[in-house]
Every structure is written in structure tokens, then in C-alpha cells.
Amino acid sequence: MTTLSRRELLLTSAALAVASRLAPAAEARAPWHQRVLRWGQTNLTEIDPGRIDIEFWRAHWKRTRVQGVVINAGGIAAFYPTKIPFHHRASGLGDRDLFGELVRVAREDDLAVFARMDSNRAHEDFHRAHPDWFAHDADGKPLVVTGLYVACVNGPYYREYLPAVLREIVTNYRPDGVTDNNWNGPQRHQPCYCANCEQSFRARAGAALPRRVDWDDPVYREWILWNYARRLEIWDEFNRVTRDAGGPDCLWVGMMSGSLNYQARVFRDDREVFRRTELIMLDHQRRFDDEGFAHNAETGLRLRSVGGWDKLIPESMAMYHLGEHNFRLATKPTAEARLWVESGFAGGIQPWWHHLGAVQEDRRMFATAEPLWRWHEKHERYLVGRMPIAGVGLLWSQRNMDFFGRDDAGALVDDPWNGMSQALVRARIPAVPVHVDDIERITRELELKLLVLPNLAALSDAQAAAIQQFVKAGGSLLATGMSSLCDEAGRVRPDLALSPLLGASVPGEHSWRDPARRATQARAWSQTYLRLPRESARRHESLRGFADTDLLAFGGTLEPLTASVAPAVSFVPALPLSPPEDVWMRQPETGIPGLICSEHGPARVAYLPADLDRRFARDQLPDHGDLLAALVRWCLRGELPLELDAPGLIDCRPWRTRGGDTVVHLLNLNNANAWRTPVQEFVPVGPLRLRVRAGEVSRAVSLVNEARLPMKRRGNWYEVEIPRIVDHEVVVFSR
Ligand SMILES: [Zn+2]
């Protein structure tokens, strides 16, 4: 690889700059929610009216090239002189109209404005005046969180008061839209028993509100669905109010989380919401240890795949420290913050910096966003208007999280998902999350070759039929654990819905049939193993990487299944860990299937009753990741869209732009802190060789190093050498 000469570099940069200037101009007539790509937010505290330096923030908006700002308007605290009774004015506001001032200067600076609300809680005087507007438990005690009263979503607070606040804000200040930090009201563990709820639920279900959690009770499941339905109504009602008062593009967009598990616990239905909104404001500020950086890219892909490839997803990215413990006023270590933002870019997410408080004494946090936001501006044409390239679809559904996950969704749903996803990232196999109701559309749009079910147990008949249809048409399948065991309400089926494809049946007596026993098993660990056939001739080809062992560590528990195909690996039950004299296998051979591989015409199906995905998320054993990747490669017959020669953990996310460019994000996660927050410094890698499969390509350019990369071609494969990656690189292959 040769570095570009100064002149070539200037030409390349100039060409890129021209292109990036052209892109937004061409779309100048598009509504704001399709144009505004970079956001900033100073989340005001109650004392900020007395200390904010507005000119400082205007300069920061300019420095960071934001096109829109989120400004606190109302909710828990109003930052304008509201006339609505009980709408609490921020304690430091006095007669000031800080929201109005900020809106005015933002408009002078040509920025889009989101009015920010936080609607779910209110002060004691409000509760005293209207106790029946607030959530109450079964004993009639009000629900109080952080000293504030949580409003009920079925009473006049949501039906009259909040619409009045929205109308006041939109009519007086004409923001482009309204976003709401916390709009969902009481969570799943905070059921409300007020008269409004009793009445509304009885009208729907013909029954009283359930008094206890009982997932086997149809009334309790109906209560879950009733809660979801009310949140969708709120979404629609609030949109009617803001569009009524502010015009058809004045959107109300709440806020959504990137954690499906959390979304389930607050009744926000990802698929239904994203299908009805023009834009998504994502409150997903940081990395969790068990999910890693790649979760951000994956979240962008997951939401885009249900909402539409072109919808924008700005994501609130904390510039302050969030980790196991949070420090809202101290800077997030720069390397940690950068990798999170860059992973968002790799998933098609738009940046939105977030500071908490108008005055910051840790000024280092102001240096984080600028270079990233400027880089985004320069290369934005490659970062939107594109579709992912992937052969693999990871299937998910929120009903599976609700009705199969129940109160153990971390162990039953999150862990298998995370383990599978991380094994694919580690193996550089690009994958796209696919909702089970979108199988037909997404597999067609992306030409997927393989669907993966990571312990996806709850499936309706129609969803199971869509999977069967995909296989019938030649698509391959990888399923783990209890996939297809239940119907969409989480009730155990007579047998696995995909039993004929998976080559296994669940006997009448089996621990998986008992929700309590299977949850206990999912949480547990024991010293168990998986046995590989001793004779190499009998070994399945996916096991080639394990020639020197007849045994793999496992950790989970399996009971007999009825298999119609000889298992490729079988289960060895738990043996004692100590004393050493006792550590020997009581049952070296059981024949209990751990892996079943079968072929159905051109389709390949791998079924892993052994929950290696969950185990990989927990134990990080390389054998587990390697076997998951080997099964995916076997199912795909080795056909992958890219290859990367480089050591370690590099998240590869390829996209195709509408203009036909192939854009590959490479995120360097080689780091002592890659799986545990926070990253403290970057560890550069290089040189790396990247090969992609593409149509006609004439040139390759790197967008971070800003160099033209010499290219070798072999058939449809194009190879470039990237000298070095510090944190991330984006390579564009153009026609
Ligand atoms: Zn209520």
C-alpha cells in the first residue's frame, strides 16, 4: 500500500468534501427528520437558568457541526413560563423563558429543535390536587420514584394534562418536534390499580386487573398486551396533538431504549413503534459489559430492519461516564466514548452528544465529540441511504422476550442472543437482526442465506411457517436450545414447531416443558462436556477444527430428545469438581444429542440443543465461539461477503449505498477492556488485508486515514491492504 501524495490526498479530500456538500443540497426539500444528521443536547438542571452561558453552547454547537439540538421544555420541570396549573417551573427559572431563548438562538443558527419532555413524574402538590391521576398499587399507595409521583397512563394526566402541555409548547415555540425522556408511565413491576385502569382493563379483557404475576394465566398475559396497546395509543394521540398544533412534520417521538429486555419491561413495542414513526430518538448511551461495543452497531441494524432502511436513528451518546457506577459530571474516558460512537456509525446510527447540566467543571468532555462529529459531516454521504450486506439473519421478537423470557429473560433470551451475536462478530461474519414477522421481506431484500434462532422459543404458527418456507426455498437454518418449543403466548407446544427440520422431538416428560425448571437450568452451570465421535470418518465436517480432541467443555444441562438423525456431538453429564480423586466421568457416553446436522435439498440445518450461545456469552470459551462460527460457515457453504486478515477482535459491518458503493466499517476492538468498561487507551492494529465480494469496482478509499488504497482483483473479490487502524476505519469500494 502506498500513501497518497499530498496532492492526491488534497484531491481526494476535495472530492469527498464536494460530494458531502452536494448530498444534503440534493435533499434540501426533504423534511427535517430526513435531513438532520447530527444532534447535541445539554440536558438542563433546575439551577441552570441561573448559570447557563448560552454563547458557550452556541460555539459548541458550531464546533461540533450539529444540525439540531434537543432543548428542555417541560414535564418534571418547565423551562418556560408555563400557564398550565401544576406544571412545575424549574426552581431557578424565575420569570425567565430559557427554553424560548434557546429556541431563538438555535433558529438563528439554522438548527432543528426538539423540545424535550420528561413526562412520567410530578411533584407532591400535583398529586395532592389530583391523586386519581397518579399510579397506585393494590393497597392504594401512590407509586413514588426519586421523590416524585408516577402518573397513570390511563387517567387525565396522559389524556388531558400532557396534551395541553404539548399544545402550549408547540403553539408558542414551534419546535420541529417533541421528544420525551420517559413517556411510558409505570413499568411492568409497577402495576397500577387506580379506577381508570380497572375500568379500561375490564372493558378490554372482561376481567379484573391481575393481582399477581402469573405468566400461565391468560388474564395476566392480556394485561401485558393491554399495556403495550395503551403505549401505542399514547404514541398516536401525542402525534395527533403535535401535528395538529405544529403541522404535519411536527413529530412526537418519545424516546426508545436499545435494550429489548428493557423495552419489554416498559411496554414499548420496538416493531410497532418503529413502523409508525418517521424518526427514532434512541436513548442508548453506553456499553454494558455483557453486550460489548458491537451491540450499538447491532441495535442500529435491528431497529432499521423493522422501521425502514432510510429512517434516521439519532442516538443519545453520553459524554459523561456511565458504567457499573455512573458519574454524570465526570468525562467518559475518550477511547470508550469514541468506540461507542463509532460502533453506532457502523450500525447506521446518527450521533447526538449529551451533557448533563449547562456548566461542566470536567472540561475534557467537550473535546470528545468535535472530531467525530466533523468526520461524520465530511463523510455523511457514505453513512446514510444504504442497506447492510449480510448473508445471516438473527431472528428476534419482543413477544419471545415477554412470554418466553418472562422474569428470566436475561438468562433465557439475552444471553443466547448475545453469545451468538458475539461469536459472529468474533468470526467476522456479518449478520442482521430480523424480526420474525419480517422474514419474507428481509430475506428477500437482503438475499439472506441463513436464519439463526438463538433460543427463540416463542413462535406463532405463521412465524414457524415462514421459517419453514425459507428453508423450503433453499435457505439454511441454525437453531439453538429451546427454539420453536412454545407458541406466541409462551405455552409449550406438543412438540417443537420446527421438529421435522431440526431432526428432534421433545418427549412428554422433559424439563423444558416446565417453565420453572427450564429457567433454573438456564441460570445454572455444572461441569458437563460434549463428546465428539472418536473415529474421524464419523465426524461431521463442521467439527474439523477440533481434530485433536474428543471432548469439548460445555457447562449446560441436556435431557434426552428423540432424534431422527444421529447426533454430531452428544452430552456428557456433570461430574464432581473435587476432590481430585473423584473427578471422572460416571457416564462417558449418553447419546443425548448436543448437535444435530441435516440437509434438506440445498438447505442445511444445524440444531444445537446444547446452548453454546448462552455458554459463550457467560464463559467466553473460544471452543464455543469457534463451533458456533463453524456451524454458520457450514450452513452458508463458506459463502461470506468479506474476509479480513488481521489478529484479534475487529467488528466488520459492510453496507451498500444506493449509488452502488460498498462501505465497510472496521471497528478495532482489540483492547484489554473490550468486554469490560471502560476502554482506557487504543491499541492500534495493522497492516490488515481486507477482501470484499462486489460487482464492478474501480477504486478503494479509506475515510479515516484518507488514502487511496491500491487494489488487487480476483474474480469478484477485491483486496486492499490497510496499513493501520487505531480505533476505526471505513473503506469505500466505488464503481
Ligand atoms: Zn392507573
Side-chain angles (χ1 to χ4, degrees):
M1 134 92 218
T2 51
T3 310
L4 287 187
S5 72
R6 173 187 283 267
R7 187 171 166 277
E8 281 174 315
L9 185 60
L10 285 172
L11 282 174
T12 308
S13 302
L16 291 171
V18 167
S20 72
R21 274 202 306 277
L22 282 176
E27 294 170 20
R29 280 196 204 91
W32 67 274
H33 50 79
Q34 292 171 18
R35 273 187 287 114
V36 178
L37 301 180
R38 287 169 299 281
W39 291 86
Q41 179 187 8
T42 311
N43 211 339
L44 301 176
T45 67
E46 296 220 21
I47 66 163
D48 282 339
R51 61 176 190 168
I52 187 171
D53 175 355
I54 291 181
E55 288 310 310
F56 168 85
W57 287 103
R58 287 181 88 171
H60 196 59
W61 297 344
K62 276 204 182 66
R63 269 199 302 275
T64 56
R65 317 300 294 163
V66 297
Q67 298 162 302
V69 285
V70 180
I71 306 175
N72 298 58
I76 291 175
F79 288 86
Y80 67 96
T82 175
K83 298 202 166 52
I84 294 174
F86 302 111
H87 192 197
H88 166 83
R89 292 190 193 188
S91 55
L93 188 68
D95 291 328
R96 193 171 179 184
D97 182 0
L98 181 55
F99 174 64
E101 291 173 46
L102 287 165
V103 171
R104 187 173 50 75
V105 296
R107 294 307 193 192
E108 283 172 18
D109 293 349
D110 209 17
L111 301 179
V113 170
F114 252 126
R116 185 249 191 210
M117 296 273 294
D118 195 333
S119 64
N120 104 344
R121 279 165 284 174
H123 288 262
E124 203 205 340
D125 57 335
F126 200 159
H127 177 261
R128 222 179 306 124
H130 296 287
D132 53 324
W133 293 17
F134 291 84
H136 291 79
D137 68 14
D139 301 326
K141 274 215 319 273
L143 176 58
V144 180
V145 175
T146 62
L148 299 168
Y149 292 75
V150 178
C152 170
V153 293
N154 285 300
Y157 184 95
Y158 271 76
R159 295 187 191 277
E160 293 161 26
Y161 167 78
L162 285 176
V165 172
L166 291 173
R167 259 191 298 274
E168 183 179 66
I169 291 169
V170 172
T171 307
N172 292 339
Y173 299 97
R174 317 301 291 184
D176 293 287
V178 179
T179 181
D180 193 319
N181 181 50
N182 197 342
W183 58 279
N184 48 264
Q187 305 186 13
R188 193 169 80 194
H189 69 283
Q190 301 164 326
C192 176
Y193 293 92
C194 77
N196 290 313
C197 285
E198 282 288 2
Q199 197 183 354
S200 162
F201 185 69
R202 189 171 289 281
R204 174 181 168 119
L209 289 164
R211 296 277 145 172
R212 61 187 186 90
V213 176
D214 180 358
W215 293 95
D216 292 320
D217 176 3
V219 174
Y220 183 74
R221 293 199 299 267
E222 193 59 23
W223 180 79
I224 297 282
L225 296 175
W226 168 76
N227 270 294
Y228 273 115
R230 177 62 192 139
R231 272 61 178 187
L232 291 176
E233 271 175 23
I234 289 171
W235 194 282
D236 294 340
E237 283 166 12
F238 287 2
N239 263 285
R240 271 196 295 278
V241 172
T242 55
R243 290 175 200 227
D244 232 35
D249 286 325
C250 188
L251 312 181
W252 183 93
V253 297
M255 271 189 211
M256 301 288 268
S257 160
S259 159
L260 186 62
N261 188 319
Y262 181 75
Q263 291 287 89
R265 285 180 278 127
V266 296
F267 306 117
R268 301 192 296 216
D269 189 309
D270 274 0
R271 183 166 184 271
E272 291 308 316
V273 166
F274 292 148
R275 279 155 60 91
R276 68 185 65 208
T277 187
E278 302 294 333
L279 174 107
I280 293 152
M281 292 300 269
L282 190 62
D283 183 2
H284 190 40
Q285 306 211 38
R286 49 81 170 260
R287 171 173 69 121
F288 291 90
D289 288 340
D290 54 352
E291 292 171 343
F293 287 107
H295 193 261
N296 208 17
E298 181 185 280
T299 299
L301 286 162
R302 184 172 66 81
L303 300 181
R304 187 154 274 122
S305 75
V306 287
W309 300 112
D310 287 331
K311 282 182 187 168
L312 298 179
I313 311 179
E315 177 188 81
S316 174
M317 294 157 165
M319 299 291 109
Y320 50 83
H321 187 67
L322 294 172
E324 180 67 23
H325 298 112
N326 302 334
F327 295 93
R328 302 268 221 174
L329 303 180
T331 193
K332 184 188 280 192
T334 314
E336 174 76 22
R338 282 185 66 99
L339 281 171
W340 184 250
V341 173
E342 289 157 358
S343 179
F345 293 165
I349 279 173
Q350 285 72 51
W352 156 18
W353 52 250
H354 181 210
H355 296 276
L356 212 163
V359 175
Q360 298 294 338
E361 293 173 275
D362 187 344
R363 294 173 301 281
R364 295 172 297 177
M365 69 176 76
F366 294 125
T368 305
E370 184 179 345
L372 289 164
W373 269 238
R374 281 178 179 268
W375 179 85
H376 188 278
E377 179 189 44
K378 191 168 180 185
H379 300 300
E380 63 184 32
R381 64 189 290 248
Y382 296 110
L383 305 174
V384 292
R386 57 189 196 173
M387 283 170 77
I389 300 171
V392 183
L394 292 171
L395 289 181
W396 65 280
S397 91
Q398 200 153 341
R399 294 299 88 77
N400 183 62
M401 186 67 83
D402 297 317
F403 295 135
F404 173 64
R406 300 185 169 192
D407 296 316
D408 291 289
L412 289 165
V413 181
D414 284 335
D415 285 352
W417 176 275
N418 289 335
M420 182 65 75
S421 166
Q422 287 163 16
L424 295 183
V425 168
R426 177 176 171 271
R428 291 122 184 210
I429 300 174
V432 174
V434 178
H435 191 278
V436 281
D437 287 328
D438 295 325
I439 288 174
E440 195 278 325
R441 176 176 63 85
I442 303 281
T443 54
R444 179 169 36 81
E445 285 176 356
L446 301 182
E447 297 177 18
L448 299 181
K449 306 279 190 297
L450 167 65
L451 290 178
V452 178
L453 289 75
N455 206 36
L456 184 72
L459 288 174
S460 68
D461 290 347
Q463 291 161 350
I467 295 168
Q468 283 155 345
Q469 186 53 40
F470 174 77
V471 176
K472 206 171 155 195
S476 293
L477 204 64
L478 166 60
T480 70
M482 299 171 224
S483 291
S484 84
L485 176 72
C486 303
D487 68 11
E488 69 274 28
R491 292 170 295 207
V492 176
R493 291 171 174 276
D495 197 359
L496 302 173
L498 300 176
S499 167
L501 282 179
L502 304 184
S505 287
V506 183
E509 283 298 309
H510 195 284
S511 58
W512 288 0
R513 294 189 177 278
D514 176 358
R517 283 173 66 202
R518 69 182 180 227
T520 306
Q521 274 179 12
R523 288 191 301 263
W525 175 90
S526 55
Q527 191 197 184
T528 60
Y529 292 88
L530 295 174
R531 174 163 301 290
L532 287 62
R534 287 210 174 81
E535 311 84 56
S536 57
R538 283 184 52 226
R539 285 205 177 181
H540 189 261
E541 59 179 291
S542 62
L543 301 173
R544 276 186 193 141
F546 303 101
D548 292 333
T549 179
D550 298 336
L551 210 61
L552 296 176
F554 176 34
T557 293
L558 290 174
E559 289 178 20
L561 295 173
T562 312
S564 59
V565 184
V569 306
S570 57
F571 174 67
V572 178
L575 47 142
L577 281 163
S578 69
E581 293 83 346
D582 233 9
V583 184
W584 52 274
M585 287 179 193
R586 272 48 171 189
Q587 247 189 304
E589 303 267 4
T590 63
I592 295 174
L595 168 65
I596 298 170
C597 297
S598 57
E599 303 200 27
H600 306 252
R604 290 181 161 181
V605 177
Y607 174 43
L608 261 172
D611 52 350
L612 291 188
D613 40 6
R614 178 189 289 119
R615 301 297 354 148
F616 187 57
R618 302 252 183 94
D619 302 329
Q620 288 208 72
L621 289 187
D623 281 350
H624 293 172
D626 289 346
L627 182 49
L628 290 169
L631 289 169
V632 169
R633 287 201 188 92
W634 175 72
C635 288
L636 290 171
R637 297 175 188 271
E639 272 186 44
L640 294 169
L642 63 78
E643 294 172 356
L644 181 72
D645 299 337
L649 188 63
I650 298 173
D651 189 4
C652 306
R653 305 278 175 179
W655 296 77
R656 182 136 309 128
T657 65
R658 212 165 273 121
D661 295 332
T662 302
V663 179
V664 185
H665 292 249
L666 301 168
L667 200 66
N668 175 17
L669 300 178
N670 286 299
N671 204 287
N673 311 99
W675 296 124
R676 185 163 169 258
T677 54
V679 160
Q680 298 166 27
E681 60 172 341
F682 295 125
V683 182
V685 289
L688 314 85
R689 265 198 305 281
L690 170 68
R691 284 178 295 282
V692 300
R693 208 162 44 172
E696 258 335 285
V697 172
S698 65
R699 62 200 289 267
V701 180
S702 59
L703 299 186
V704 175
N705 267 338
E706 294 195 332
R708 176 122 179 219
L709 304 176
M711 205 167 51
K712 281 187 211 153
R713 177 175 186 175
R714 186 174 298 159
N716 286 336
W717 287 89
Y718 298 86
E719 180 181 288
V720 293
E721 185 173 281
I722 302 156
R724 185 169 184 263
I725 299 182
V726 179
D727 44 354
H728 80 142
E729 184 53 274
V730 179
V731 182
V732 180
F733 296 85
S734 306
R735 285 197 285 194

